[in-house]
Amino acid sequence: MPDLLLGALTADPAGLLPAREQMAVSLGWHIVLACFGVAFPTMIFVVHRRGVVRDDAVALRLARRWSKVAAVLFAIGAVSGTVLSFEMGLLWPGLMGPYGDVLGLPFAFEGLSFFVEAIFLGLYLYGWDRMPPRRHLLLLLPMAVAGIVGSYCVISVNAWMNMPTGFRVVDGQVTDVDPWAVLFSSGTVLSFAHMWVGAFMVVGFVVAAVYAAGMLRGRRDDHHRLGFTVPFGFASVAAVVQPVIGHVLGMRLGETQPAKLAAFELATTTEQPAPLRMGGLLVDGDPRFYLAIPRWGSFIARGSFRKPVAGLDTVPREDWPPVNVTHVAFQTMVGIGTLLAVAVVVFWIARWRGRDPLAHRPVLLGAVLAGPLAVLALESGWVATEVGRQPWTVWHVLRTPDAATDNPGIWWSFAGACLLYLGMTVAAYVVLRSMARRWRAGEEHLPSPYGPEEVPR
Amino acid sequence: MSLPELVAAALFAGVLAYGLFGGADFGTGWFDLTAGGSARGAAVRTQVDESIGPVWEANHVWLVYVLVTWWTGFPETFAAATTTLFVPFLLALLGIVLRGAAFAFRKYSGTLGQARVFGAVFAASSLLAPFFLGTIAGAIASGRVPAEGYGDRWHSWLNATSLFGGAIAVGTCAFLAGVFLTADAARAGRVALARTLRRRTVGVGVATGALVFAALVPILHDAPTLADGLTGRAAPLVALSGLAGVATLVLLVRHRYAAARVAAVLAVGSVLLGWGLGQYPWLLVDEVTIEQGAGARATLVGLLVAVGLAVVVVLPPLVWLFRSTQWPATAEITDHGAGR
Ligand code: HDD
Ligand code: HEM
Ligand code: HEM
């Protein structure tokens, strides 16, 4: 707990703590839906294309259903993203005032991509049975591209907060602003790659989990097989690639944000070579309850079994991030990532040797679990990155207390935000469940219940 | 035009587009809310679904465009507005979120009971959002947002100009939506539905017109800078708006729905433009001008590049979306349960 209060030493603005919590909740919620915006159009495309090209009725039906699910998810994804746009100003005026023109341009391009995504989503949903099938299918491609470009742009802002460029501060004034340097910063590429692949993991495992659950209940038809295989295939590739990208990303931290890396590794003192600490917490300034594997800390953090890993002793005390939150979140992500990578490799080897892993209940159970695990890894990754950046909002440029609003009412807005997100989660769950139930009952078109029966779609 | 003025114009173009497209979207909530019980209201609600279903998300992105252009182009004024107008921003946001989510949920809800709940949330929050956005506009226009931010958190938007601004926003949104819904219903051959909608739209139009004129009196006292602009430079636009509003009503009564749509857009568009012209050159009235509030030049140039790209990349598909989903008649849908 003292960890969390570290920022509260001096007179902090009244809004600091609730603003941080509110930002965390809204970003944590948005990011899951954003993943669907990034990865789902591609998966729908693969299934829909199969339906059109091979004249496969099962695939076509699946694509049609997924597009309705996408309609719901993208709608709440869009509104929760709007929340973030407001919150940037409402919660972080100290960031947006002085630095709005430094970090804003990527958001402008992000806005462009969301426009494209929203337009083509509208066209695609409307186009079923109304457009030539092949043209209709192609509408998914701009959506997929827009989702990728949009998330690249947002990530570039986040990368800038971690590796600021494109401006100078002279006598407290921000000058020499070069917004393009933010958009094309070298720091973005890796972060984006990691996020992009993470999105495919999350969507792939979550969607596959739905169909694995169906198979567990005995629904073993072509529909469920296809619904499982396509997203699971995407997720598998992503799961194998992800640890590699994550590892390279971690190595960069040694140069750019050593304090964050030290917190990740629970390194209080500089060690050469450093051990890998599994588990563990910082208690009264000392790492406890961990399992140490010699030398591996150096390898993971620096890519060599001999290089030193800088400890927190090299960082002034007031610049420490909340170590425990950062460390636990980081290890959760890495642990889950490693587990999932190993699991999919085993799965495909078994498949390749002619077995059918899906015939076994434990495999299906594991596939169901992989969905929530991937989401947890994603959330942990963000918590590690964002909390590990503390006490800086912009690394070594702007402290979080200076970014936060001085509004005492934020606890109210935070409570409201929690209620709102809870409500939306429950409502989304109820609606998606009832859609699935109606589909199983043979109602393909899901007319709105208050409308005349003959409304199409 | 200077560089900051160009960016401000691009920003205002977004406000205009959001006011018209987003406004017509929001306004459907009024007709949904007052459509009656589930049997009687089914026709109106289905029409709302059909009319805004494919386009609401795209229409909504205009708001994102406005926010992003504002904080990138004029960052300090954005921070000043969010710290001062925290409450209406938050409430508008609440409206926007609830409305978008509930609209999507309602469309696919499994039972009538669920649809009722989501429908009520959708309709009510559709009024909330434009109201509070209107109070924000009123606060800025009446010079209540100090340049350094953290202005009075309550009086900044609880005042005559703001409250009238909110009410006018709700009224104009409903008016726009009514005209569009009536035209859509008529084109789809739902005669009885078009008749009800037309009657109610004329009512909304008359009420909103009266409200706008009633608002002029307090605004003249409360927001002198804006009032000077409205009665001076922007006077022709105000007059045009009044004329176009009356024309809309006449065209509606005469069943000239396509023309009525054009007139309604003209009426609302010229009010918005009048506001913009009226408060020029102020960004935050009496506090910060466009030139003073502008961010770094390189960023302004970047924004114009983004805007140029938007014209090339976004506008053509947007036109395609509107053409393919809004204009052809969907004749296969019958006039079911309307007007009973
Ligand atoms: C499905 C999700 C997922 C999975 C399985 C992993 N990650 Fe991750 N990770 C993310 C999702 C994520 C993320 C949430 O997307 C982050 C936050 C910011 C970012 O760009 O990616 C992230 C951040 C992040 C960072 C911080 C970068 C920074 O602060 O600049 C490092 C060092 C790693 N990851 C390393 C790994 C390693 C070594 C993994 C090995 C298995 C791993 N990640 C799996
Ligand atoms: C501070 C951070 C963020 C802000 C201000 C923000 C803003 C927004 C906004 C305004 C929208 C809605 C656009 C619309 O109306 O369609 C949106 C949607 C989206 N965001 Fe975020 N976002 C943030 C973080 C992220 C992150 C981290 C990602 C990740 C990769 C992301 C990816 C997306 C995607 C793909 C969509 C489209 C989703 C959909 O339509 O379902 N955003 N975001
Ligand atoms: C690329 C997109 C993102 C941007 C631009 C962004 C921006 C921000 C900003 C401005 C803050 C507040 C300042 C600060 O606390 O330093 C913040 C804090 C935070 N964000 Fe992010 N964020 C992004 C993605 C995410 C995601 C997806 C999560 C998911 C969980 C997340 C989790 C957090 C948390 C936990 C905090 C609070 C940290 C603390 O105060 O200890 N962020 N982020």
Side-chain angles (χ1 to χ4, degrees):
Chain A
M1 222 29 212
D3 242 16
L4 285 172
L5 298 175
L6 226 152
L9 293 175
T10 47
D12 282 333
L16 177 63
L17 198 57
R20 290 168 71 178
E21 307 292 320
Q22 182 172 340
M23 196 70 193
V25 167
S26 12
L27 278 160
W29 205 85
H30 175 70
I31 192 66
V32 179
L33 293 152
C35 285
F36 278 84
V38 172
F40 210 25
T42 312
M43 293 184 199
I44 301 177
F45 179 82
V46 169
V47 173
H48 191 163
R49 185 179 165 280
R50 185 185 165 106
V52 171
V53 172
R54 300 201 198 162
D55 207 10
D56 178 341
V58 171
L60 217 47
R61 191 178 62 171
L62 193 62
R64 195 186 280 257
R65 288 185 183 179
W66 281 3
S67 72
K68 290 194 166 116
V69 173
V72 174
L73 294 180
F74 289 12
I76 52 182
V79 292
S80 65
T82 312
V83 175
L84 295 175
S85 307
F86 275 75
E87 282 177 348
M88 294 299 280
L90 292 175
L91 305 181
W92 311 106
L95 170 67
M96 298 315 283
Y99 295 97
D101 54 351
V102 184
L103 61 77
L105 195 59
F107 278 120
F109 287 98
E110 179 212 26
L112 283 190
S113 343
F114 292 152
F115 239 134
V116 172
E117 184 152 357
I119 292 168
F120 282 92
L121 175 69
L123 278 166
Y124 180 68
L125 293 176
Y126 185 81
W128 284 104
D129 304 326
R130 289 192 175 97
M131 266 186 207
R134 275 168 204 267
R135 191 198 299 167
H136 182 221
L137 169 68
L138 291 181
L139 293 176
L140 283 164
L141 293 181
M143 274 164 78
V145 174
I148 293 166
V149 175
S151 59
Y152 173 89
C153 293
V154 204
I155 294 290
S156 75
V157 178
N158 189 271
W160 173 83
M161 291 169 33
N162 285 301
M163 294 169 64
T165 60
F167 67 99
R168 282 189 317 136
V169 180
V170 180
D171 300 331
Q173 289 296 313
V174 180
T175 59
D176 290 345
V177 174
D178 176 8
W180 301 99
V182 179
L183 188 59
F184 299 115
S185 144
S186 63
T188 308
V189 181
L190 267 183
S191 299
F192 165 71
H194 197 55
M195 176 65 231
W196 187 49
V197 170
F200 274 87
M201 281 182 74
V202 165
V203 178
F205 281 124
V206 167
V207 177
V210 171
Y211 292 90
M215 285 191 254
L216 267 178
R217 301 213 173 114
R219 300 187 197 110
R220 292 174 172 276
D221 44 19
D222 288 347
H223 177 79
H224 279 77
R225 278 205 162 256
L226 187 65
F228 176 85
T229 311
V230 171
F232 192 77
F234 274 105
S236 300
V237 176
V240 174
V241 177
Q242 187 71 314
V244 180
I245 304 177
H247 174 61
V248 183
L249 198 54
M251 293 205 312
R252 189 181 72 196
L253 281 183
E255 280 124 50
T256 56
Q257 297 176 301
K260 189 193 264 186
L261 181 66
F264 279 0
E265 304 278 316
L266 205 62
T268 41
T269 54
T270 307
E271 288 164 288
Q272 181 173 19
L276 172 64
R277 294 190 182 79
M278 312 246 287
L281 284 176
L282 202 62
V283 182
D284 299 330
D286 290 319
R288 306 266 287 275
F289 321 120
Y290 60 84
L291 185 78
I293 306 177
R295 291 173 181 275
W296 277 85
S298 285
F299 176 72
I300 286 184
R302 306 291 313 274
S304 135
F305 285 105
R306 274 196 296 277
K307 285 191 184 159
V309 173
L312 285 164
D313 54 352
T314 59
V315 181
R317 190 70 179 81
E318 70 272 15
D319 286 354
W320 284 24
V323 178
N324 282 335
V325 178
T326 312
H327 173 70
V328 170
F330 181 69
Q331 293 224 320
T332 308
M333 167 181 69
V334 176
I336 294 173
T338 313
L339 178 74
L340 291 176
V342 172
V344 295
V345 169
V346 172
F347 179 97
W348 289 105
I349 288 179
R351 260 287 282 263
W352 175 61
R353 292 169 126 217
R355 306 228 185 95
D356 180 13
L358 293 180
H360 303 279
R361 290 186 68 86
V363 175
L364 288 175
L365 218 65
V368 172
L369 264 180
L373 279 180
V375 175
L376 183 62
L378 178 86
E379 300 284 3
S380 314
W382 276 109
V383 170
T385 313
E386 302 290 286
V387 178
R389 190 184 60 232
Q390 303 305 317
W392 304 98
T393 288
V394 184
W395 187 253
H396 287 184
V397 173
L398 178 71
R399 280 180 184 272
T400 310
D402 301 327
T405 180
D406 202 3
N407 187 333
I410 309 279
W411 281 113
W412 288 105
S413 82
F414 173 51
C418 290
L419 271 180
L420 184 68
Y421 285 116
L422 187 69
M424 284 208 290
T425 310
V426 172
Y429 180 76
V430 167
V431 169
L432 291 172
R433 273 286 299 266
S434 83
M435 287 164 77
R437 204 173 307 123
R438 284 199 281 165
W439 277 327
R440 279 204 297 281
E443 221 183 288
E444 204 52 46
H445 289 301
L446 307 187
S448 23
Y450 49 83
E453 296 71 38
E454 57 271 52
V455 171
R457 290 181 309 142
Chain B
M1 260 207 235
S2 68
L3 187 57
E5 281 174 345
L6 269 176
V7 174
L11 172 62
F12 197 75
V15 174
L16 205 59
Y18 187 55
L20 292 171
F21 294 106
D25 257 28
F26 281 133
T28 57
W30 168 260
F31 292 90
D32 204 293
L33 194 67
T34 54
S38 14
R40 201 162 67 95
V44 172
R45 299 198 172 104
T46 308
Q47 184 64 55
V48 168
D49 242 13
E50 204 182 290
S51 290
I52 70 170
V55 293
W56 77 267
E57 260 190 270
N59 290 342
H60 164 94
V61 185
W62 286 111
L63 173 65
V64 176
Y65 167 90
V66 168
L67 288 177
V68 165
T69 314
W70 187 2
W71 85 45
T72 310
F74 308 94
E76 295 286 1
T77 63
F78 178 69
T82 53
T83 48
T84 304
L85 299 168
F86 188 81
V87 179
F89 264 113
L90 207 64
L91 292 172
L93 176 62
L94 182 73
I96 289 163
V97 173
L98 284 179
R99 139 176 229 281
F103 183 69
F105 291 152
R106 175 174 81 170
K107 174 145 182 60
Y108 293 113
S109 51
T111 64
L112 190 58
Q114 278 176 22
R116 274 213 193 104
V117 173
F118 292 133
V121 173
F122 158 71
S125 52
S126 292
L127 304 183
L128 210 64
F131 179 80
F132 288 108
L133 291 173
T135 63
I136 292 172
I140 292 173
S142 58
R144 288 188 164 91
V145 178
E148 64 282 7
Y150 292 103
D152 190 318
R153 262 197 293 280
W154 300 101
H155 292 113
S156 55
W157 62 283
L158 289 171
N159 58 70
T161 309
S162 291
L163 296 179
F164 269 108
I168 291 173
V170 173
T172 44
C173 288
F175 178 56
L176 271 179
V179 176
F180 278 69
L181 287 173
T182 309
D184 284 355
R187 216 182 33 225
R190 296 166 200 150
V191 182
L193 176 62
R195 199 181 320 121
T196 347
L197 284 170
R198 183 185 59 158
R199 183 162 43 75
R200 296 176 45 204
T201 305
V202 171
V204 168
V206 172
T208 307
L211 189 66
V212 171
F213 280 100
L216 283 179
V217 180
I219 288 180
L220 287 179
H221 291 286
D222 190 51
T225 306
L226 177 70
D228 278 356
L230 285 180
T231 52
R233 197 181 315 120
L237 283 169
V238 176
L240 174 66
S241 169
L243 286 178
V246 173
T248 315
L249 296 180
V250 173
L251 290 164
L252 274 180
V253 172
R254 298 180 146 201
H255 301 263
R256 301 276 309 280
Y257 299 130
R261 292 208 305 196
V262 178
V265 166
L266 204 62
V268 176
S270 44
V271 162
L272 284 170
L273 208 57
W275 160 43
L277 207 60
Q279 80 164 53
Y280 175 84
W282 296 108
L283 202 60
L284 302 176
V285 169
D286 299 339
E287 292 282 337
V288 185
T289 63
I290 293 173
E291 298 287 341
Q292 291 162 348
R297 286 191 71 83
T299 306
L300 298 182
V301 173
L303 269 178
L304 289 180
V305 172
V307 172
L309 214 67
V311 171
V312 179
V313 177
V314 172
L315 283 193
L318 195 60
V319 171
W320 187 24
L321 175 71
F322 277 102
R323 285 190 77 110
S324 52
T325 61
Q326 303 281 289
W327 293 347
T330 31
E332 73 267 32
I333 306 169
T334 57
D335 185 29
H336 191 93
R340 242 181 287 135

